[in-house]
Amino acid sequence: GGMTYSNGYLTVPRLGLYYVYTQLCFYHAGGSYPYGLFRIDVNGSPRAYSYQKSDDQQSNYYMGRILELQQGDRISIVIASSQNYFYPSVGYNFFGAFLLR
């Protein structure tokens, strides 16, 4: 079987090396320009962080990491940005993973 998605979590089907990726869109209403601060969690523990800044009021941020994962591991994305607004639109935000080996 393949990877499954439920309630914001991807569940890993088998042991292996995976490429985990996400794109998130943030916007800021005024003042300083937006930044994206987010991370990839595995089973509730941080495994990769990203801090990206932009000169635009609305920006898409991308992060990808290679992680060794076990069967049954649950992957999620946590947004830790307090100065910006997450833009919750299907076309702008996604995350996934695929098996490398």
Side-chain angles (χ1 to χ4, degrees):
M3 194 159 305
T4 58
Y5 176 83
S6 178
N7 297 318
Y9 292 91
L10 286 173
T11 302
V12 176
R14 66 180 207 169
L15 169 74
L17 202 59
Y18 288 81
Y19 183 73
V20 181
Y21 59 91
T22 184
Q23 176 180 292
L24 301 172
C25 182
F26 292 95
Y27 68 94
H28 190 62
S32 63
Y33 288 103
Y35 65 88
L37 179 59
F38 52 97
R39 69 181 194 253
I40 297 171
D41 280 10
V42 177
N43 300 325
S45 297
R47 294 286 296 272
Y49 292 90
S50 181
Y51 173 83
Q52 299 175 38
K53 192 170 179 178
S54 173
D55 291 333
D56 298 320
Q57 289 294 333
Q58 178 176 322
S59 296
N60 292 318
Y61 300 103
Y62 184 86
M63 174 173 59
R65 295 289 188 277
I66 296 173
L67 299 173
E68 186 171 349
L69 301 172
Q70 307 293 318
Q71 180 179 3
D73 280 351
R74 291 170 34 116
I75 307 165
S76 63
I77 304 301
V78 175
I79 300 169
S81 179
S82 60
Q83 186 180 12
N84 296 289
Y85 301 100
F86 174 63
Y87 188 70
S89 176
V90 174
Y92 292 95
N93 305 289
F94 54 83
F95 85 105
F98 56 85
L99 180 64
L100 297 172
R101 63 176 171 99

